[in-house]
Amino acid sequence: MTERGDNRRIASMGLVFVALAALILSAVPPWAGNFFTGLPDHWDPPLHAWKLIWNAGGILQGHLLLPRYHANAFYPHMYVLCFDDLFWIPSYLAAALRGCGAGMCLTYNAVMLVFWALSGVLFYRLLREIRLQPSSAFFGAAVFCL
């Protein structure tokens, strides 16, 4: 494929990402209204926010490849993060946001929105690879996300 075709494909995926992020935020209005200051009202987001912040802190301290499994919770048990998913890839985005001064709520919400919309973009690419039209592939990605 030519460079122009590659640039067009990247631009279309960027548009799909923005459109899916807007759809996600419009589908969950309470979350969008408290995006900078609050977490969704469920037991899961505070736990995941803590893991993201813990990992982001480790990345910012120079632990770029090896996770710090020994966390500051569940004393006297050691290495408790071995028993849970680490969100290691999203933690790099969380570290970038924390390095820019973002708070815990904004960091969690931004990371979740980015990776939620990214899953739709990847599904869109899958549907395009099996030769669906762009509008059909976008509809499929939106259904997949929502």
Side-chain angles (χ1 to χ4, degrees):
M1 182 142 238
T2 66
E3 183 178 328
R4 180 178 166 177
D6 289 340
N7 290 341
R8 192 179 319 160
R9 180 181 298 160
I10 291 169
S12 71
M13 288 191 298
L15 289 173
V16 168
F17 177 85
V18 169
L20 289 174
L23 279 173
I24 291 165
L25 285 174
S26 66
V28 193
W31 185 45
N34 298 319
F35 199 78
F36 293 93
T37 58
L39 297 174
D41 188 23
H42 192 266
W43 66 269
D44 221 16
L47 172 66
H48 294 313
W50 171 77
K51 288 187 294 186
L52 280 172
I53 299 305
W54 179 260
N55 288 339
I59 291 169
L60 291 173
Q61 291 173 3
H63 302 282
L64 297 177
L65 297 177
L66 298 175
R68 297 182 306 162
Y69 291 119
H70 183 56
N72 62 351
F74 306 116
Y75 179 82
H77 304 288
M78 296 178 65
Y79 307 111
V80 293
L81 285 181
C82 293
F83 304 119
D84 201 3
D85 50 340
L86 282 178
F87 295 141
W88 199 240
I89 299 300
S91 295
Y92 286 102
L93 176 58
L97 290 169
R98 295 291 287 177
C100 292
M104 181 188 74
C105 293
L106 176 60
T107 299
Y108 170 81
N109 289 329
V111 168
M112 289 302 124
L113 178 63
V114 165
F115 281 91
W116 192 352
L118 185 61
S119 71
V121 171
L122 296 176
F123 196 71
Y124 172 82
R125 278 302 312 145
L126 173 69
L127 294 176
R128 290 292 291 140
E129 285 295 320
I130 59 173
R131 307 213 191 275
L132 261 66
Q133 295 298 319
S135 58
S136 301
F138 179 77
F139 180 77
V143 169
F144 176 76
C145 276
L146 300 175

